Amino acid sequence: MSPADLKENYSELVALTKLYLLREHSPKEWKICEDDSFAFFKAQAQKQKKPQAPLQTPPQTIVSTPPRKLEAAPAEPAPKKETAPPPTEKKVEPEKPQKKSSLPSFELNPPKEHPTVDCNDVKQILKKLFPQLTLIPTPPDDREAKKMLLYKQTTFEIAILSFDTKTPPFLTHVANAISQEHSTAKVISAQRVEKEKKWNQLLSLPHLKLIIASDYGLYSYPELMQHYREVPKQAKAYLAKIPLLLLADLSLYLKEPKLKPALWRAICEQLRDD
């Protein structure tokens, strides 16, 4: 093995030893060793720290040369002005052709006017078969029927009129109690019926048996008062033919809870009489 190979193997062994020591031990950690080993490695470390003597170079002979005329230093070239790079043109990407949808396209056209069909032959046959019926040339107006749907959507037998913008919770509780114990009750906005002038439709419902309303709001609705009537001998009031049970001011029932049982007895007696 040549000296170069020995040196390379020795360097590799030293590097591996250092790596092992760094992995296994901390740099600040002390290890106890024998005096001979410590003295040997200390001497080796001191040898490496000794500075080597500089190499002596042979003296150079100085050759005298005749003086030369000083030449003017060439002028430095003026710095070039930095010019901005020319603007780069943005490449316009060609539009990608849109994929044609596989679904068929439809054109929206206004419906064509169909000619009217003459049904005189059918009318003549109907007149012969059903002479008691009257044929009307145009369909009847259904606006009145649509107005009736407001009250026929839910069948109720007792109507409680609310004269406030929002339904008071007290009236809602009364309606729920009546619905649980007796018949179906519903709270109706008197303002809406008065504005739309639908008192005739409401009071003509065949299933309506009783109307409950407060006396303070009743007199402020002229359309409603047209249907109001009293029977002093019987101490009863009606709206058209529907019995009317008048309530006191709703705030009194909230201030005096003792009035609530009396109100409930009056409602039960009114329904029992009907």
Side-chain angles (χ1 to χ4, degrees), residues 5 59 71 77 82-83 88 101-102 108 121-122 124 133 151 161 171 186 196 198 214 221 225 237-238 240 248 251 261:
D5 295 338
E71 297 180 356
E82 296 182 358
T83 57
T88 57
S101 176
S102 59
L108 299 178
D121 297 340
V122 179
Q124 295 300 328
L133 299 180
Y151 307 108
L161 300 182
L171 296 182
K186 182 179 181 180
E196 298 177 358
K198 294 180 180 180
S214 57
Y221 288 80
M225 287 302 296
Y238 295 87
S251 60

mmCIF file of all heavy atoms in Angstrom, residues 5 59 71 77 82-83 88 101-102 108 121-122 124 133 151 161 171 186 196 198 214 221 225 237-238 240 248 251 261:
data_model
loop_
_atom_site.group_PDB
_atom_site.id
_atom_site.type_symbol
_atom_site.label_atom_id
_atom_site.label_comp_id
_atom_site.label_asym_id
_atom_site.label_seq_id
_atom_site.Cartn_x
_atom_site.Cartn_y
_atom_site.Cartn_z
ATOM 1 N N ASP A 5 -2.168 6.120 -0.102
ATOM 2 C CA ASP A 5 -3.354 5.334 0.308
ATOM 3 C C ASP A 5 -3.448 5.274 1.817
ATOM 4 O O ASP A 5 -4.552 5.352 2.397
ATOM 5 C CB ASP A 5 -3.256 3.929 -0.266
ATOM 6 C CG ASP A 5 -3.324 3.920 -1.799
ATOM 7 O OD1 ASP A 5 -3.863 4.927 -2.339
ATOM 8 O OD2 ASP A 5 -2.863 2.951 -2.436
ATOM 9 N N PRO A 59 17.715 35.109 -3.195
ATOM 10 C CA PRO A 59 17.691 36.562 -3.445
ATOM 11 C C PRO A 59 17.630 36.842 -4.935
ATOM 12 O O PRO A 59 18.238 36.160 -5.748
ATOM 13 C CB PRO A 59 19.037 37.034 -2.855
ATOM 14 C CG PRO A 59 19.902 35.826 -2.847
ATOM 15 C CD PRO A 59 19.014 34.658 -2.638
ATOM 16 N N GLU A 71 3.156 57.880 -19.668
ATOM 17 C CA GLU A 71 2.111 58.061 -20.686
ATOM 18 C C GLU A 71 0.794 58.386 -19.994
ATOM 19 O O GLU A 71 0.486 57.869 -18.907
ATOM 20 C CB GLU A 71 1.968 56.772 -21.505
ATOM 21 C CG GLU A 71 3.222 56.424 -22.286
ATOM 22 C CD GLU A 71 3.043 55.156 -23.072
ATOM 23 O OE1 GLU A 71 1.964 54.545 -22.928
ATOM 24 O OE2 GLU A 71 3.967 54.782 -23.819
ATOM 25 N N PRO A 77 -14.085 55.322 -20.588
ATOM 26 C CA PRO A 77 -15.283 55.571 -21.430
ATOM 27 C C PRO A 77 -16.467 56.003 -20.588
ATOM 28 O O PRO A 77 -16.640 55.581 -19.444
ATOM 29 C CB PRO A 77 -15.532 54.198 -22.089
ATOM 30 C CG PRO A 77 -14.922 53.205 -21.154
ATOM 31 C CD PRO A 77 -13.742 53.908 -20.527
ATOM 32 N N GLU A 82 -28.531 53.505 -19.514
ATOM 33 C CA GLU A 82 -29.357 52.295 -19.594
ATOM 34 C C GLU A 82 -30.675 52.624 -20.277
ATOM 35 O O GLU A 82 -31.372 53.563 -19.893
ATOM 36 C CB GLU A 82 -29.636 51.759 -18.187
ATOM 37 C CG GLU A 82 -28.375 51.308 -17.457
ATOM 38 C CD GLU A 82 -28.714 50.750 -16.111
ATOM 39 O OE1 GLU A 82 -29.910 50.767 -15.753
ATOM 40 O OE2 GLU A 82 -27.796 50.275 -15.420
ATOM 41 N N THR A 83 -30.900 51.934 -21.282
ATOM 42 C CA THR A 83 -32.153 52.131 -22.028
ATOM 43 C C THR A 83 -33.139 51.052 -21.616
ATOM 44 O O THR A 83 -32.786 49.900 -21.378
ATOM 45 C CB THR A 83 -31.898 52.055 -23.547
ATOM 46 O OG1 THR A 83 -31.280 50.784 -23.845
ATOM 47 C CG2 THR A 83 -30.970 53.174 -23.992
ATOM 48 N N THR A 88 -42.502 44.277 -24.532
ATOM 49 C CA THR A 88 -42.782 42.975 -25.160
ATOM 50 C C THR A 88 -44.261 42.907 -25.540
ATOM 51 O O THR A 88 -45.143 43.303 -24.760
ATOM 52 C CB THR A 88 -42.456 41.848 -24.188
ATOM 53 O OG1 THR A 88 -43.208 42.040 -22.986
ATOM 54 C CG2 THR A 88 -40.984 41.817 -23.841
ATOM 55 N N SER A 101 -72.741 21.713 -28.170
ATOM 56 C CA SER A 101 -73.497 20.852 -27.273
ATOM 57 C C SER A 101 -74.196 19.764 -28.068
ATOM 58 O O SER A 101 -74.651 19.975 -29.195
ATOM 59 C CB SER A 101 -74.530 21.673 -26.491
ATOM 60 O OG SER A 101 -75.310 20.827 -25.695
ATOM 61 N N SER A 102 -74.228 18.609 -27.452
ATOM 62 C CA SER A 102 -74.905 17.494 -28.113
ATOM 63 C C SER A 102 -76.415 17.598 -28.009
ATOM 64 O O SER A 102 -77.131 16.876 -28.706
ATOM 65 C CB SER A 102 -74.435 16.171 -27.483
ATOM 66 O OG SER A 102 -74.716 16.163 -26.089
ATOM 67 N N LEU A 108 -87.565 29.636 -29.471
ATOM 68 C CA LEU A 108 -88.794 30.026 -28.790
ATOM 69 C C LEU A 108 -89.596 30.937 -29.699
ATOM 70 O O LEU A 108 -89.149 32.027 -30.065
ATOM 71 C CB LEU A 108 -88.462 30.733 -27.470
ATOM 72 C CG LEU A 108 -87.677 29.906 -26.442
ATOM 73 C CD1 LEU A 108 -87.375 30.747 -25.198
ATOM 74 C CD2 LEU A 108 -88.468 28.663 -26.047
ATOM 75 N N ASP A 121 -123.588 23.619 -33.356
ATOM 76 C CA ASP A 121 -124.228 22.297 -33.455
ATOM 77 C C ASP A 121 -124.358 21.665 -32.073
ATOM 78 O O ASP A 121 -125.406 21.083 -31.731
ATOM 79 C CB ASP A 121 -123.400 21.389 -34.375
ATOM 80 C CG ASP A 121 -123.342 21.923 -35.802
ATOM 81 O OD1 ASP A 121 -124.222 22.741 -36.157
ATOM 82 O OD2 ASP A 121 -122.409 21.557 -36.539
ATOM 83 N N VAL A 122 -123.274 21.802 -31.275
ATOM 84 C CA VAL A 122 -123.315 21.228 -29.929
ATOM 85 C C VAL A 122 -124.340 21.958 -29.065
ATOM 86 O O VAL A 122 -125.079 21.340 -28.265
ATOM 87 C CB VAL A 122 -121.913 21.283 -29.289
ATOM 88 C CG1 VAL A 122 -121.931 20.710 -27.878
ATOM 89 C CG2 VAL A 122 -120.909 20.541 -30.145
ATOM 90 N N GLN A 124 -127.107 23.410 -30.017
ATOM 91 C CA GLN A 124 -128.462 22.996 -30.408
ATOM 92 C C GLN A 124 -128.815 21.640 -29.812
ATOM 93 O O GLN A 124 -129.947 21.415 -29.356
ATOM 94 C CB GLN A 124 -128.557 22.954 -31.940
ATOM 95 C CG GLN A 124 -128.399 24.309 -32.630
ATOM 96 C CD GLN A 124 -129.476 25.288 -32.192
ATOM 97 O OE1 GLN A 124 -130.615 24.911 -31.888
ATOM 98 N NE2 GLN A 124 -129.098 26.570 -32.170
ATOM 99 N N LEU A 133 -131.784 24.003 -18.825
ATOM 100 C CA LEU A 133 -130.511 24.675 -18.583
ATOM 101 C C LEU A 133 -130.342 25.881 -19.496
ATOM 102 O O LEU A 133 -130.836 25.887 -20.631
ATOM 103 C CB LEU A 133 -129.347 23.705 -18.789
ATOM 104 C CG LEU A 133 -129.304 22.469 -17.879
ATOM 105 C CD1 LEU A 133 -128.096 21.619 -18.216
ATOM 106 C CD2 LEU A 133 -129.263 22.880 -16.414
ATOM 107 N N TYR A 151 -111.785 32.496 3.493
ATOM 108 C CA TYR A 151 -112.393 31.975 4.705
ATOM 109 C C TYR A 151 -112.731 30.496 4.604
ATOM 110 O O TYR A 151 -113.053 29.862 5.589
ATOM 111 C CB TYR A 151 -113.674 32.765 5.020
ATOM 112 C CG TYR A 151 -113.445 34.242 5.064
ATOM 113 C CD1 TYR A 151 -113.921 35.069 4.054
ATOM 114 C CD2 TYR A 151 -112.719 34.817 6.103
ATOM 115 C CE1 TYR A 151 -113.701 36.433 4.096
ATOM 116 C CE2 TYR A 151 -112.483 36.170 6.136
ATOM 117 C CZ TYR A 151 -112.979 36.980 5.137
ATOM 118 O OH TYR A 151 -112.740 38.311 5.169
ATOM 119 N N LEU A 161 -112.653 38.284 16.322
ATOM 120 C CA LEU A 161 -112.211 39.458 15.571
ATOM 121 C C LEU A 161 -111.107 40.168 16.337
ATOM 122 O O LEU A 161 -111.230 40.442 17.539
ATOM 123 C CB LEU A 161 -113.382 40.414 15.334
ATOM 124 C CG LEU A 161 -114.563 39.840 14.532
ATOM 125 C CD1 LEU A 161 -115.628 40.908 14.338
ATOM 126 C CD2 LEU A 161 -114.108 39.284 13.204
ATOM 127 N N LEU A 171 -105.909 36.720 22.485
ATOM 128 C CA LEU A 171 -106.923 36.172 21.587
ATOM 129 C C LEU A 171 -106.482 34.831 21.013
ATOM 130 O O LEU A 171 -107.311 33.935 20.804
ATOM 131 C CB LEU A 171 -107.214 37.168 20.463
ATOM 132 C CG LEU A 171 -107.830 38.504 20.877
ATOM 133 C CD1 LEU A 171 -108.097 39.372 19.647
ATOM 134 C CD2 LEU A 171 -109.108 38.294 21.673
ATOM 135 N N LYS A 186 -111.013 30.566 15.086
ATOM 136 C CA LYS A 186 -109.967 31.210 14.295
ATOM 137 C C LYS A 186 -109.989 32.706 14.539
ATOM 138 O O LYS A 186 -111.063 33.318 14.604
ATOM 139 C CB LYS A 186 -110.173 30.928 12.797
ATOM 140 C CG LYS A 186 -109.101 31.531 11.901
ATOM 141 C CD LYS A 186 -109.347 31.205 10.450
ATOM 142 C CE LYS A 186 -108.261 31.798 9.561
ATOM 143 N NZ LYS A 186 -108.482 31.492 8.125
ATOM 144 N N GLU A 196 -111.334 45.306 2.662
ATOM 145 C CA GLU A 196 -111.729 44.597 1.441
ATOM 146 C C GLU A 196 -113.244 44.452 1.317
ATOM 147 O O GLU A 196 -113.711 43.893 0.327
ATOM 148 C CB GLU A 196 -111.066 43.213 1.419
ATOM 149 C CG GLU A 196 -109.543 43.273 1.386
ATOM 150 C CD GLU A 196 -108.907 41.897 1.439
ATOM 151 O OE1 GLU A 196 -109.659 40.894 1.540
ATOM 152 O OE2 GLU A 196 -107.668 41.814 1.381
ATOM 153 N N LYS A 198 -115.529 42.594 2.968
ATOM 154 C CA LYS A 198 -115.907 41.183 2.847
ATOM 155 C C LYS A 198 -116.745 40.694 4.021
ATOM 156 O O LYS A 198 -116.812 39.499 4.292
ATOM 157 C CB LYS A 198 -114.646 40.315 2.721
ATOM 158 C CG LYS A 198 -113.868 40.544 1.454
ATOM 159 C CD LYS A 198 -112.644 39.648 1.395
ATOM 160 C CE LYS A 198 -111.850 39.868 0.111
ATOM 161 N NZ LYS A 198 -110.648 38.996 0.054
ATOM 162 N N SER A 214 -114.287 42.523 20.825
ATOM 163 C CA SER A 214 -114.277 43.511 21.911
ATOM 164 C C SER A 214 -115.154 44.689 21.523
ATOM 165 O O SER A 214 -115.210 45.097 20.354
ATOM 166 C CB SER A 214 -112.842 43.971 22.191
ATOM 167 O OG SER A 214 -112.262 44.499 21.014
ATOM 168 N N TYR A 221 -115.706 50.640 13.079
ATOM 169 C CA TYR A 221 -115.722 50.051 11.740
ATOM 170 C C TYR A 221 -117.130 50.223 11.154
ATOM 171 O O TYR A 221 -118.049 49.460 11.475
ATOM 172 C CB TYR A 221 -115.343 48.564 11.805
ATOM 173 C CG TYR A 221 -113.878 48.330 12.090
ATOM 174 C CD1 TYR A 221 -113.380 48.411 13.393
ATOM 175 C CD2 TYR A 221 -112.992 48.066 11.058
ATOM 176 C CE1 TYR A 221 -112.046 48.208 13.650
ATOM 177 C CE2 TYR A 221 -111.654 47.852 11.317
ATOM 178 C CZ TYR A 221 -111.180 47.933 12.614
ATOM 179 O OH TYR A 221 -109.845 47.742 12.868
ATOM 180 N N MET A 225 -120.509 47.794 11.373
ATOM 181 C CA MET A 225 -121.663 48.223 12.157
ATOM 182 C C MET A 225 -122.967 48.144 11.359
ATOM 183 O O MET A 225 -124.053 48.161 11.955
ATOM 184 C CB MET A 225 -121.440 49.654 12.651
ATOM 185 C CG MET A 225 -120.416 49.752 13.778
ATOM 186 S SD MET A 225 -120.869 48.762 15.225
ATOM 187 C CE MET A 225 -122.385 49.582 15.722
ATOM 188 N N ALA A 237 -126.712 40.311 21.332
ATOM 189 C CA ALA A 237 -126.268 41.087 20.175
ATOM 190 C C ALA A 237 -125.941 40.134 19.048
ATOM 191 O O ALA A 237 -125.564 38.971 19.278
ATOM 192 C CB ALA A 237 -125.062 41.948 20.533
ATOM 193 N N TYR A 238 -126.103 40.662 17.818
ATOM 194 C CA TYR A 238 -125.879 39.817 16.636
ATOM 195 C C TYR A 238 -125.126 40.631 15.588
ATOM 196 O O TYR A 238 -125.213 41.866 15.527
ATOM 197 C CB TYR A 238 -127.213 39.344 16.039
ATOM 198 C CG TYR A 238 -128.013 38.435 16.932
ATOM 199 C CD1 TYR A 238 -128.903 38.958 17.870
ATOM 200 C CD2 TYR A 238 -127.887 37.063 16.850
ATOM 201 C CE1 TYR A 238 -129.648 38.130 18.695
ATOM 202 C CE2 TYR A 238 -128.630 36.215 17.666
ATOM 203 C CZ TYR A 238 -129.495 36.765 18.589
ATOM 204 O OH TYR A 238 -130.228 35.934 19.405
ATOM 205 N N ALA A 240 -125.446 40.380 11.708
ATOM 206 C CA ALA A 240 -126.360 39.702 10.784
ATOM 207 C C ALA A 240 -127.178 38.683 11.594
ATOM 208 O O ALA A 240 -127.860 39.055 12.544
ATOM 209 C CB ALA A 240 -125.611 39.068 9.637
ATOM 210 N N ALA A 248 -114.779 42.815 27.069
ATOM 211 C CA ALA A 248 -114.284 44.083 27.590
ATOM 212 C C ALA A 248 -112.923 44.400 26.971
ATOM 213 O O ALA A 248 -112.418 43.663 26.116
ATOM 214 C CB ALA A 248 -114.199 44.004 29.112
ATOM 215 N N SER A 251 -106.976 44.704 27.851
ATOM 216 C CA SER A 251 -106.012 45.012 28.908
ATOM 217 C C SER A 251 -106.584 44.710 30.293
ATOM 218 O O SER A 251 -105.830 44.421 31.232
ATOM 219 C CB SER A 251 -105.596 46.482 28.829
ATOM 220 O OG SER A 251 -106.721 47.332 28.973
ATOM 221 N N PRO A 261 -111.839 33.507 34.228
ATOM 222 C CA PRO A 261 -112.827 32.432 34.426
ATOM 223 C C PRO A 261 -114.241 32.856 34.059
ATOM 224 O O PRO A 261 -115.013 32.056 33.508
ATOM 225 C CB PRO A 261 -112.698 32.105 35.924
ATOM 226 C CG PRO A 261 -111.322 32.545 36.290
ATOM 227 C CD PRO A 261 -111.062 33.746 35.452
#
